[in-house]
Amino acid sequence: MEVIKRVLKRIVTDKGIYEIIVINNEKVFRKILKEDISKEINGYNLIKNNYRVPKMKKYNLDKREIIYEYIDNLENRTLHHGLFMNLEFSQKRIIDVLTNGFEKFEMLEESKSSNSKFFYGRISLLEQYISYGNEDYEKEIVVNNEVFPSFKKCVKTIINTLEIDKVVPFVISQGDPTDLNISVEGEITDFEMAGKNSVINEIAIFVGCYLVNCYYFYIKYMNSAHKKYLDTLDKYKDLIKCDFKKCKNRVLVVFNNILPTKNKEFIRAYLNRIKEIGIIRWDFNIGCYIAMRMISPVNMNKVSDRGDKFLLIALADLFTFKYNTLEKVIHFVEVM
């Protein structure tokens, strides 16, 4: 009979409970999730032979509980620690892991992506943004003296792009390549979105995370594992300075370089690898997907600082209407 002797560490988020516990004198990692765990189990089984992953020891569907082997100090060796806490890591090794098997892509209907809930699943959230009658969302956005359509038009463009049936490149991947889901040694964790995923989604999640979300918006506004990295937020918050001025029909937005050097190099290297592989057409519109990752993981209705809100709106406009192909996104990273 299993006996839980003690809980060594516990983190409670909006997704569930994450614990390091001792069962029968063995230290293990346990998840108790709010949602059905079958998707994570299936995702794990699809990618476990292609990546370095902790062994799944057992699970209980009724309790929504999964137990993995415990990998020593993994929670303190994430890519977040490499990017923001000076823990050494090989950028090439991480990119090799994140693009593992991308040359063996297949063309499938976009809606079948394992991580589609991050895109199709959040269209209703975008529709909420433009249904509240916020007058600021009706105004043109002027970003560093360049005029862009209103946030309302931006959101409608994103929705229209997502709702068009498309066949796109798919790969077997972890599906949520954020900084807390990979270690500096290249170990992969969190398999809820693992499986066959759209490369477009992969790129959008990656860029959205490392451009600004993982060291600012996730920490400041989300009830997630990022919440504990307040020191990172304090260290980089001065980069995220967005000045704005509201006029009758326009909002003037000005921001400068928001990218830490390590992030810039990391994003640039990843995108150039994607370009070298040649997995997506040079003119494919990936901008709307990146824009969605700017404004949907962090609920815009919960962003209390108006400078933060207009920075997100400005970034969504920039990716939707200007930096919307792979080549242009690479250029955007260069100039940031």
Side-chain angles (χ1 to χ4, degrees):
M1 179 179 177
E2 291 186 343
V3 178
I4 299 177
K5 292 202 171 179
R6 61 186 183 277
V7 176
L8 303 178
K9 189 172 185 178
R10 172 179 288 159
I11 296 175
V12 180
T13 76
D14 53 355
K15 292 184 177 180
I17 300 171
Y18 303 81
E19 298 175 324
I20 300 171
I21 61 176
V22 177
I23 300 179
N24 295 338
N25 297 318
E26 180 184 10
K27 189 186 292 187
V28 295
F29 177 70
R30 178 169 70 167
K31 288 180 166 186
I32 304 173
L33 301 178
K34 293 181 179 179
E35 297 183 355
D36 178 23
I37 63 171
S38 58
K39 197 168 187 298
E40 173 154 352
I41 295 166
N42 293 335
Y44 174 87
N45 287 327
L46 277 171
I47 73 166
K48 65 181 180 182
N49 295 324
N50 298 327
Y51 296 90
R52 291 175 58 190
V53 298
K55 181 181 178 181
M56 183 183 291
K57 299 178 74 67
K58 63 182 301 183
Y59 58 84
N60 186 312
L61 291 172
D62 293 332
K63 293 182 179 180
R64 297 177 180 173
E65 173 191 69
I66 306 176
I67 294 177
Y68 292 97
E69 71 170 319
Y70 175 75
I71 298 178
D72 188 47
N73 205 32
L74 184 61
E75 70 273 18
N76 294 317
R77 295 187 286 108
T78 69
L79 190 53
H80 189 97
H81 296 83
L83 288 171
F84 308 114
M85 300 180 187
N86 298 318
L87 189 63
E88 291 188 8
F89 73 99
S90 165
Q91 177 178 276
K92 181 182 181 301
R93 176 194 291 172
I94 301 300
I95 290 172
D96 284 346
V97 171
L98 293 178
T99 58
N100 178 32
F102 275 29
E103 293 89 350
K104 301 175 183 177
F105 67 90
E106 59 180 321
M107 304 300 289
L108 296 172
E109 293 177 13
E110 186 176 48
S111 59
K112 293 181 179 178
S113 186
S114 292
N115 57 14
S116 64
K117 86 168 194 177
F118 290 153
F119 298 89
Y120 292 98
R122 291 180 177 163
I123 286 178
S124 60
L125 179 61
L126 299 191
E127 290 172 337
Q128 287 179 25
Y129 295 160
I130 58 177
S131 68
Y132 290 142
N134 187 326
E135 64 177 18
D136 290 336
Y137 292 175
E138 303 278 353
K139 296 178 179 180
E140 290 181 323
I141 305 297
V142 183
V143 184
N144 296 345
N145 296 317
E146 188 171 356
V147 181
F148 291 91
S150 68
F151 181 59
K152 187 172 184 177
K153 289 182 179 178
C154 175
V155 168
K156 287 183 176 180
T157 301
I158 295 170
I159 293 172
N160 290 339
T161 300
L162 291 176
E163 289 183 334
I164 296 171
D165 293 332
K166 293 181 287 294
V167 173
V168 298
F170 270 60
V171 294
I172 299 292
S173 73
Q174 184 267 348
D176 189 16
T178 58
D179 56 316
L180 300 187
N181 290 341
I182 184 169
S183 77
V184 290
E185 286 86 13
E187 294 145 320
I188 293 290
T189 60
D190 195 343
F191 311 102
E192 183 186 356
M193 301 299 155
K196 290 186 177 183
N197 283 301
S198 158
V199 172
I200 311 305
N201 292 1
E202 288 281 311
I203 295 170
I205 293 167
F206 181 95
V207 173
C209 176
Y210 299 104
L211 183 71
V212 69
N213 281 336
C214 69
Y215 62 95
Y216 189 73
F217 286 104
Y218 288 170
I219 303 170
K220 189 171 181 179
Y221 292 108
M222 289 182 70
N223 180 25
S224 71
H226 279 90
K227 206 72 175 174
K228 65 180 180 178
Y229 296 110
L230 294 174
D231 288 345
T232 301
L233 180 66
D234 289 339
K235 183 177 179 181
Y236 292 100
K237 65 183 180 182
D238 290 339
L239 279 180
I240 315 300
K241 181 172 175 54
C242 179
D243 295 320
F244 66 93
K245 180 181 178 181
K246 295 200 291 185
C247 305
K248 183 177 180 181
N249 298 314
R250 290 180 172 178
V251 179
L252 312 181
V253 178
V254 177
F255 66 89
N256 297 311
N257 187 345
I258 63 173
L259 258 175
T261 301
K262 276 188 179 180
N263 289 50
K264 175 179 283 197
E265 294 172 351
F266 187 47
I267 297 171
R268 182 171 54 197
Y270 175 83
L271 293 176
N272 279 322
R273 175 69 63 82
I274 297 291
K275 182 180 176 182
E276 289 168 11
I277 294 170
I279 196 168
I280 61 172
R281 284 173 34 186
W282 66 271
D283 60 343
F284 189 93
N285 183 353
I286 64 173
C288 285
Y289 297 81
I290 298 173
M292 178 129 191
R293 294 301 296 175
M294 292 289 102
I295 59 176
S296 71
V298 179
N299 190 321
M300 289 283 288
N301 298 323
K302 295 180 180 179
V303 176
S304 54
D305 184 290
R306 289 193 297 170
D308 288 349
K309 180 167 285 192
F310 282 117
L311 174 60
L312 288 172
I313 290 173
L315 288 170
D317 258 1
L318 284 168
F319 284 116
T320 300
F321 298 111
K322 185 175 182 180
Y323 300 102
N324 51 14
T325 65
L326 180 60
E327 199 73 46
K328 291 176 181 178
V329 174
I330 292 172
H331 176 69
F332 175 82
V333 175
E334 294 283 357
V335 300
M336 289 305 295

